[in-house]
């Protein structure tokens, strides 16, 4: 994760970060209780779960996940993928900083990560169904 626009640079209205994923990678199914998440696929092929929908997306596609919507993504391509992720309002980038500062990693430290996530209105719902 590389933070490209922290919330404090946008008066808290949004934050933007980059996410690079190897084939077969993606986060657990989760929900943001306080923020919308907008994914722009820079490169690669992805599948997204957004609520009840499965969306296939490639370079140039945009996927909007409204707050309170269970979602995840999965790099379904043969090579690395690159996402530009916008959160509105901003502030969620603090979660990534806190995970890194505590030297936590998925799946090894999932219980500690889930506890930390509560501070950022993030709730994990289970494993990534697209990775099964």
């Amino acid at each position: 994760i590389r933070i490209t626009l922290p919330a404090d640079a946008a008066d808290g209205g949004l934050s933007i970060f980059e996410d690079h994923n190897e084939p077969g990678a993606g986060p657990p199914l989760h929900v943001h209780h306080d923020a919308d998440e907008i994914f722009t696929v820079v490169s690669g092929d992805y599948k997204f779960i957004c609520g009840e929908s499965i969306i296939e997306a490639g370079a140039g596609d945009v996927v909007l996940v409204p707050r309170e919507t269970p979602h995840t993504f999965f790099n379904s391509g043969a090579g690395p993928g690159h996402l530009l992720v916008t959160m509105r309002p901003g502030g969620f980038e603090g979660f990534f900083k806190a995970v890194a500062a505590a030297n936590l990693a998925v799946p090894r430290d999932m219980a500690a990560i889930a506890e930390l996530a509560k501070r950022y209105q993030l709730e994990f719902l289970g494993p990534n169904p697209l990775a099964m």
Side-chain angles (χ1 to χ4, degrees):
I1 302 291
R2 181 170 93 69
I3 299 163
T4 56
L5 182 71
D8 59 1
D11 292 328
L14 58 89
S15 56
I16 302 173
F17 59 89
E18 293 180 65
D19 193 358
H20 295 267
N21 310 105
E22 292 301 317
L29 187 66
H30 62 281
V31 62
H32 298 276
H33 294 293
D34 66 341
D36 302 320
E37 191 166 19
I38 304 161
F39 296 92
T40 303
V41 180
V42 177
S43 64
D45 295 302
Y46 286 87
K47 287 186 181 178
F48 290 84
I49 291 178
C50 181
E52 300 296 319
S53 299
I54 295 179
I55 301 165
E56 294 190 24
D61 290 333
V62 176
V63 177
L64 168 65
V65 180
R67 67 192 73 200
E68 297 290 351
T69 303
H71 65 285
T72 190
F73 63 84
F74 179 77
N75 178 346
S76 58
H82 179 191
L83 298 169
L84 189 64
V85 184
T86 303
M87 302 288 294
R88 65 175 190 202
F92 183 71
E93 69 275 14
F95 170 73
F96 299 120
K97 291 178 181 180
V99 167
N103 197 31
L104 301 174
V106 175
R108 179 190 74 208
D109 303 309
M110 203 58 214
I113 292 169
E115 191 60 34
L116 178 66
K118 292 177 186 177
R119 287 191 248 159
Y120 295 92
Q121 298 298 306
L122 169 64
E123 179 182 358
F124 292 105
L125 303 175
N128 187 328
L130 297 170
M132 299 176 155

